[in-house]
Amino acid sequence: MQAKIPNERKPMNETDLTQLQNRTKALVSRILGGYGLQKKLETLGIRVGCEVEKLSAQALRGPIILKIGNAQVAIGFGMAKRIIVKYTDMGQKDANHNTKNDN
Amino acid sequence: MRKILLIGNPNVGKSVIFSRLTGVHVIASNYPGTTVEYTRGYMRLGDEKVEIIDVPGTYALEPTSKAEKVAIEMLKEGDIVVNVIDATNLERNLNLTLQLIKKKVRLIICLNFWDETKHTGINIDKDKLEKILGVPVVPTCGITGEGIKRLVSQLIKPKISKYEYETENKWSEIGEIINEVQKLTHRHHTIWERLGDASVHPLTGIPIAIIILYLAFKIVRFVGESIIGYVFEPLFENLWAPLMLKLSSLLGGSGFIHNVLIGRLIEGKIEFVESLGLLTTGLFVPIAMVLPYIFAFYLVLGFMEDSGYLPRLGVLLDNLMHKLGIHGLAIIPMLLGFGCNVPGALATRVLDTRRERFIAATLMAIAVPCMAQIAMIFGLVGKYGSGALALVFGTLFIVWIILGLLLNLTLKGESPEIFVEIPPYRFPYLLALLKKLWMRVLWFLKEAVPYVLLGVLVVNILYSLHIIEFVGRIASPVVKGILGLPREAVGALVIGFLRKDVAVGMLVPLGLTLKQMVIASVVLTMYFPCIATFAVLVKELGITDMLKSASIMIISTLIVGGLLNLILR
């Protein structure tokens, strides 16, 4: 599952979850993966169009902690790389406030 | 008898509702043909006695794991379905609800954690939800018991929902329902949430984990030692020993029957660890030496499970565990293995692929001693101080890491990534916690005591037929030459296949040096699983993989034991 992480160009306002700043909200815009991955992510409420907030990330390509609705979810780095998000206006503002957060 | 199913996502407090509905009499059993465990109990519904089943947690009705497959199978047998929902996560939980509605089951919805919605700024209009879905909706709070009576009164009037939707529009339908029934207001973070964030944050999480695990270890040892010192040892020494001495003189002080029941008297007295009789060692070891630690361990583990800490520990350890070819959640079978390797082996199911399950099961069986064995090692090696204990457990930890690295390098395939919900911290509901503890302790007594007795009986038979002596002579080059243990230690290795605690006890009369004691403890942990674990592993891994795993165990035991024999003095 980790093998090929697509490295395509993304528009300016898009990024993947590993690149998103901590404590930032964003909308899921695409999921780079097949039916299996989409179904798996859906069980914990991650699907195109939903809002997620990245809370923290473990060091050295470790898991990433997300907040979806009221629930927190930990997902592996490779999986997070496949989730492309779009900054929401609010999220962009938050991101500017939090530039000191490392990623 | 009619069956009521409790079904819902993991971490929605289903088990607490289950505890509230059922009485004390609760049974854990495996679903036929699988190793998936579920619990059932009974309650009165008017004049009728009904069965209540706590279905394994599932996020969807499309099976992605064994547990979910079982959940779907069970759905067919249920007469009434109670869908337990986490009210603070309505949107995601409704996914399962809509799938249940499609199955046309007789449904009741239970909105659990209702109290938490108030201080999390969530406002749910439950009457509106009831109207939209056309089934009874009951808000509950499992911990305080609020709403349980209403839930019971609604159990007699479940409804088949008339709600219709197209599967592809499921999420937009859910969105519409949410818009109709739920309103969010702003609110502040609670202290639990801050603590929750701190315990997965990389900087603060690891120190917190070390403190928690250290405390857990200390509490287990303190509780275990206290129960032994204040309850069981006095009981056995002051009450049971005189009784056994009387029986001994009644039986004439020697002979086969005497040896089987009482064992050998040492300087005219009964030594409960060494005598090796069914009524002396056979009862003392499981009840007075092991049971207190089993109780203490499952008490602490229950707190860690029910408070929501384990997934966080999994996240913190994910990086390390990936190097061993398994992901962070594999910490759950490892921790359970410290209680007993059997549930540890069963818990490897939290892992997705065969490769991961193989690695996790092998590492657990080889390097994780069960509480029965740990208790005996504490009792026997602990006398020489914590340094000796550190040597035993340190060696096993290093074996765990190195073997994991090697397995990850040599086995084909990759390890999938962690993907898990992190539930909010909640203070465990004590009644449910105690019920689980009681079930586990009872399970230990039922599973372990017969095997200990069998082990003691077999020892006696093997000794009186001189079989252990014979095997000892054959195995001498390995046991003496490589491991540096006396020939008589073979007896312990033979019995270790039945029960490892009895095996450790058998080392006592051999008069081992500290070095030999350390080597024997490590070897007894590693060389082979006990018969109960072996049987479960064959079922879980299949016979070929189990043979592979067993050869890894034997080879690494010889290498590690041999190295210890060379290095230690």
Side-chain angles (χ1 to χ4, degrees):
Chain A
M1 192 167 281
Q2 257 169 321
K4 275 190 214 141
I5 296 171
N7 211 355
E8 57 171 276
R9 257 167 202 282
K10 299 170 196 105
M12 277 297 284
N13 63 340
E14 279 193 347
T15 185
D16 65 62
L17 273 182
T18 64
Q19 304 286 325
L20 189 68
Q21 309 268 350
N22 288 344
R23 293 274 161 206
T24 308
K25 288 179 184 167
L27 287 176
V28 175
S29 56
R30 282 175 297 150
I31 291 169
L32 309 176
Y35 182 77
L37 180 67
Q38 308 227 357
K39 275 285 152 210
K40 189 170 175 178
L41 292 173
E42 192 192 279
T43 59
L44 288 185
I46 304 171
R47 54 181 204 284
V48 172
C50 78
E51 190 186 60
V52 296
E53 181 181 354
K54 179 168 167 181
L55 295 179
S56 63
Q58 299 291 310
L60 304 168
R61 299 164 70 93
I64 280 149
I65 316 279
L66 296 177
K67 188 169 176 187
I68 302 141
N70 242 315
Q72 290 188 17
V73 173
I75 61 174
F77 189 89
M79 238 185 267
K81 195 93 190 152
R82 292 164 174 272
I83 301 174
I84 309 298
V85 294
K86 214 185 261 172
Y87 293 111
T88 55
D89 287 337
M90 266 300 286
Q92 190 72 61
K93 214 167 79 198
D94 281 357
N96 292 337
H97 278 297
N98 282 333
T99 37
K100 60 180 186 296
N101 272 343
D102 59 341
N103 192 12
Chain B
M1 196 185 308
R2 288 207 297 171
K3 285 182 183 166
I4 298 181
L5 304 179
L6 292 185
I7 191 167
N9 291 4
N11 308 312
V12 295
K14 219 156 35 70
S15 309
V16 177
I17 301 278
F18 176 78
S19 292
R20 287 271 178 194
L21 291 177
T22 56
V24 199
H25 189 61
V26 165
I27 311 147
S29 39
N30 286 341
Y31 192 73
T34 69
T35 46
V36 175
E37 200 178 70
Y38 71 98
T39 39
R40 60 200 161 90
Y42 301 92
M43 71 174 286
R44 293 219 145 264
L45 210 57
D47 298 329
E48 194 190 347
K49 192 179 175 196
V50 290
E51 188 179 41
I52 302 203
I53 296 174
D54 190 0
V55 179
T58 178
Y59 288 108
L61 292 183
E62 291 168 51
T64 52
S65 71
K66 273 189 203 170
E68 288 181 352
K69 248 178 229 157
V70 167
I72 295 160
E73 279 303 307
M74 285 179 160
L75 199 57
K76 293 174 190 159
E77 303 163 16
D79 297 294
I80 300 168
V81 176
V82 179
N83 177 207
V84 183
I85 284 182
D86 173 357
T88 65
N89 265 312
L90 189 59
E91 185 172 6
R92 194 195 67 206
N93 279 255
L94 280 179
N95 181 20
L96 179 65
T97 310
L98 286 203
Q99 294 182 38
L100 284 170
I101 283 174
K102 262 243 145 83
K103 296 267 180 198
K104 298 286 171 208
V105 292
R106 289 146 60 81
L107 195 65
I108 294 162
I109 290 172
C110 165
L111 282 175
N112 201 23
F113 299 132
W114 185 250
D115 56 322
E116 281 185 33
T117 59
K118 286 167 202 156
H119 57 81
T120 43
I122 297 168
N123 196 326
I124 297 172
D125 186 341
K126 76 116 191 147
D127 293 331
K128 214 174 212 173
L129 186 63
E130 201 166 75
K131 226 168 107 191
I132 294 173
L133 297 179
V135 297
V137 174
V138 186
T140 57
C141 169
I143 310 271
T144 62
E146 193 188 325
I148 298 294
K149 274 205 182 118
R150 243 187 68 82
L151 179 65
V152 173
S153 69
Q154 295 292 317
L155 281 180
I156 41 173
K157 35 191 168 183
K159 288 206 179 89
I160 296 172
S161 173
K162 294 197 175 69
Y163 190 83
E164 299 273 351
Y165 68 97
E166 296 299 321
T167 306
E168 52 265 40
N169 299 335
K170 191 177 62 191
W171 284 105
S172 58
E173 297 267 345
I174 291 173
E176 273 169 38
I177 298 174
I178 292 289
N179 278 340
E180 288 275 317
V181 304
Q182 182 175 281
K183 285 191 180 57
L184 301 178
T185 50
H186 184 73
R187 50 113 197 178
H188 293 284
H189 280 245
T190 65
I191 179 132
W192 286 103
E193 283 171 317
R194 281 181 209 283
L195 194 65
D197 292 347
S199 60
V200 280
H201 197 278
L203 281 180
T204 44
I206 290 178
I208 291 178
I210 291 172
I211 295 171
I212 288 181
L213 292 178
Y214 177 77
L215 279 180
F217 174 79
K218 279 280 165 192
I219 295 172
V220 168
R221 223 182 146 183
F222 174 76
V223 173
E225 270 171 10
S226 306
I227 300 177
I228 291 173
Y230 291 110
V231 183
F232 286 114
E233 258 176 14
L235 223 60
F236 269 86
E237 291 298 338
N238 302 333
L239 288 175
W240 195 243
L243 216 66
M244 286 301 107
L245 272 179
K246 264 196 200 122
L247 184 64
S248 165
S249 56
L250 263 177
L251 290 168
S254 61
F256 183 73
I257 303 277
H258 177 274
N259 282 351
V260 168
L261 290 181
I262 307 287
R264 289 165 297 128
L265 296 184
I266 291 156
E267 290 166 9
K269 279 195 303 196
I270 288 168
E271 290 292 339
F272 278 115
V273 180
E274 297 177 44
S275 285
L276 279 179
L278 285 181
L279 295 176
T280 53
T281 308
L283 291 180
F284 186 78
V285 164
I287 293 172
M289 291 186 83
V290 174
L291 179 66
Y293 280 106
I294 294 280
F295 171 83
F297 174 81
Y298 282 125
L299 181 69
V300 171
L301 184 76
F303 263 97
M304 281 172 47
E305 286 173 331
D306 289 6
S307 62
Y309 185 64
L310 288 187
R312 289 173 169 86
L313 191 61
V315 170
L316 284 173
L317 292 174
D318 188 59
N319 249 319
L320 167 71
M321 311 263 290
H322 259 291
K323 309 261 184 314
L324 316 182
I326 40 189
H327 65 60
L329 281 194
I331 194 65
I332 293 174
M334 299 300 162
L335 277 180
L336 283 171
F338 277 112
C340 168
N341 277 356
V342 170
L346 291 175
T348 54
R349 275 196 316 259
V350 298
L351 304 168
D352 306 317
T353 65
R354 208 173 135 169
R355 177 181 188 265
E356 284 178 291
R357 284 195 293 269
F358 178 78
I359 295 177
T362 305
L363 290 183
M364 194 264 318
I366 216 167
V368 177
C370 66
M371 198 35 78
Q373 199 187 347
I374 295 173
M376 297 299 285
I377 295 176
F378 276 174
L380 304 177
V381 184
K383 280 186 225 146
Y384 300 96
S386 339
L389 286 178
L391 206 55
V392 172
F393 294 107
T395 306
L396 291 174
F397 182 65
I398 295 170
V399 169
W400 185 74
I401 299 262
I402 293 181
L403 191 66
L405 290 172
L406 288 175
L407 285 176
N408 190 31
L409 282 176
T410 47
L411 292 175
K412 260 185 252 147
E414 287 172 69
S415 41
E417 295 185 282
I418 197 168
F419 181 66
V420 64
E421 180 179 2
I422 304 181
Y425 278 125
R426 292 193 168 102
F427 193 80
Y429 172 55
L430 289 176
L431 188 66
L433 191 100
L434 292 177
K435 227 181 226 185
K436 190 158 69 174
L437 177 63
W438 169 242
M439 272 167 58
R440 282 169 158 171
V441 167
L442 207 65
W443 184 83
F444 165 78
L445 287 176
K446 270 198 267 186
E447 294 289 314
V449 178
Y451 273 113
V452 172
L453 293 176
L454 181 67
V456 172
L457 184 67
V458 170
V459 175
N460 277 299
I461 294 171
L462 292 183
Y463 269 124
S464 58
L465 298 176
H466 303 286
I467 289 176
I468 288 184
E469 226 179 291
F470 176 72
V471 179
R473 220 169 290 152
I474 296 172
S476 171
V478 174
V479 173
K480 220 171 169 177
I482 299 180
L483 304 175
L485 298 174
R487 213 159 68 187
E488 295 77 23
V490 169
L493 290 174
V494 172
I495 291 307
F497 184 54
L498 277 174
R499 280 298 296 182
K500 298 216 174 178
D501 41 9
V502 180
V504 178
M506 284 172 67
L507 299 172
V508 178
L510 302 183
L512 301 183
T513 62
L514 176 56
K515 170 185 166 178
Q516 288 174 322
M517 206 69 170
V518 169
I519 294 176
S521 301
V522 170
V523 165
L524 270 179
T525 307
M526 290 177 61
Y527 79 115
F528 212 76
C530 70
I531 189 164
T533 310
F534 182 80
V536 173
L537 283 176
V538 168
K539 234 191 204 161
E540 289 283 302
L541 298 179
I543 188 79
T544 356
D545 275 4
M546 186 54 222
L547 287 178
K548 238 194 272 174
S549 182
S551 354
I552 295 172
M553 290 173 200
I554 294 170
I555 293 167
S556 21
T557 306
L558 292 177
I559 295 173
V560 174
L563 278 177
L564 281 178
N565 187 24
L566 286 177
I567 300 166
L568 299 179
R569 25 181 111 223

